[in-house]
């Protein structure tokens, strides 16, 4: 129903935020991670929302990015994971961390969320594995700039392309997408960097 709500924060707790927009106060459920990133009362904020309508409830769930919203939608589609479970998981790990865990089969990382047991975590991995690709996990590295972008943006896009290539090479070598992406993210890109040099530097972080 609502794509997002933009307004002023009136109240903020560890699991909800009240945003006033157009004279209406919207009570939006959020993860503790989101709560920690939001500014205090009186500040303007834009919250992407998911609307849950049931016979006995009408609830809004909020996220700071569309990416978080989309991963939340995937989570609540998993059998046994409702909105509360989805927020619990996103309270202990970012959308990227969840993707890495799913691709690496790391049920223990997902099971750290309150109320999420080992079997439920394994179900998340089983049901999301085919819905999450390596390309999805690379979103945290940013999208390449288009032809109309600035020179700086174009350089950033080139850096991201090299990082993608390095990650794909590591995965081809047998490393998990989670470990490969974490290693490449540690690399500082220099002016003369190439995919090969990034790969060699990343390999040092794999041991």
């Amino acid at each position: 129903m609502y794509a997002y709500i933009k307004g002023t924060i009136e109240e903020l707790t560890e699991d909800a935020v009240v945003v006033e927009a157009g004279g209406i106060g919207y009570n939006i459920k959020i993860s503790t991670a989101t709560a920690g990133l939001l500014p205090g009362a009186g500040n303007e904020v834009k919250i992407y929302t998911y609307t849950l309508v049931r016979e006995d409830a009408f609830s809004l769930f909020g996220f700071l990015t569309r990416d978080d919203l989309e991963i939340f939608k995937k989570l609540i589609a998993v059998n046994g994971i409702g909105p509360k479970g989805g927020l619990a998981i996103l309270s202990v790990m970012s959308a990227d961390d969840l993707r890495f865990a799913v691709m690496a089969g790391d049920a223990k990382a997902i099971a750290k969320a309150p109320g999420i047991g080992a079997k439920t975590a394994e179900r998340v991995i089983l049901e999301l594995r085919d819905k999450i690709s390596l390309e999805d996990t690379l979103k945290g590295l940013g999208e390449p700039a288009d032809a109309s972008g600035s020179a700086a943006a174009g350089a950033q896009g080139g850096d991201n392309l090299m990082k993608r290539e390095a990650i794909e090479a590591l995965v081809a070598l047998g490393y998990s997408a989670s470990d490969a992406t974490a290693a490449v993210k540690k690399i500082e890109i220099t002016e003369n960097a190439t995919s090969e040099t990034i790969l060699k530097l990343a390999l040092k972080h794999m041991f």
Side-chain angles (χ1 to χ4, degrees):
M1 180 177 291
Y2 302 108
Y4 64 83
I5 295 173
K6 185 176 182 180
T8 303
I9 295 177
E10 292 298 317
E11 297 178 24
L12 177 62
T13 65
E14 65 177 11
D15 60 1
V17 60
V18 176
V19 178
E20 182 179 344
I24 299 174
Y26 296 90
N27 190 347
I28 306 169
K29 299 179 186 298
I30 56 176
S31 69
T32 54
T34 296
L37 294 172
L38 285 172
N43 288 281
E44 187 173 277
V45 69
K46 181 178 181 180
I47 303 287
Y48 294 94
T49 56
Y50 174 82
T51 306
L52 177 66
V53 180
R54 290 178 176 168
E55 188 174 323
D56 59 346
F58 182 97
S59 303
L60 288 174
F61 297 84
F63 310 88
L64 291 178
T65 68
R66 286 194 180 92
D67 188 37
D68 287 340
L69 172 59
E70 291 307 313
I71 205 70
F72 175 77
K73 289 179 180 178
K74 286 183 170 67
L75 273 172
I76 63 176
V78 174
N79 185 30
I81 299 288
K84 183 178 180 180
L87 286 185
I89 291 173
L90 293 177
S91 289
V92 300
M93 60 199 320
S94 68
D96 279 337
D97 288 338
L98 176 60
R99 291 189 184 98
F100 303 155
V102 168
M103 294 196 71
D106 189 356
K108 288 184 179 180
I110 299 173
K112 290 179 181 178
I116 303 298
K119 289 185 178 180
T120 302
E122 290 171 359
R123 189 182 305 122
V124 169
I125 291 172
L126 180 64
E127 295 191 27
L128 293 189
R129 184 171 285 155
D130 293 336
K131 299 177 182 178
I132 292 176
S133 67
L134 176 61
E135 186 63 23
D136 289 330
T137 70
L138 302 181
K139 286 182 179 180
L141 299 177
E143 296 296 330
D146 59 34
S148 63
S150 66
Q156 182 64 41
D159 289 349
N160 292 333
L161 176 60
M162 289 189 292
K163 288 181 178 180
R164 284 186 170 86
E165 291 174 345
I167 290 172
E168 289 167 355
L170 287 168
V171 171
L173 289 172
Y175 294 103
S176 71
S178 176
D179 289 342
T181 305
V184 169
K185 279 189 173 183
K186 295 176 182 178
I187 307 304
E188 182 177 350
I189 307 301
T190 62
E191 184 177 352
N192 298 319
T194 64
S195 298
E196 183 177 357
T197 58
I198 294 174
L199 174 59
K200 288 180 180 178
L201 290 171
L203 281 168
K204 294 181 180 179
H205 291 285
M206 305 302 288
F207 301 99

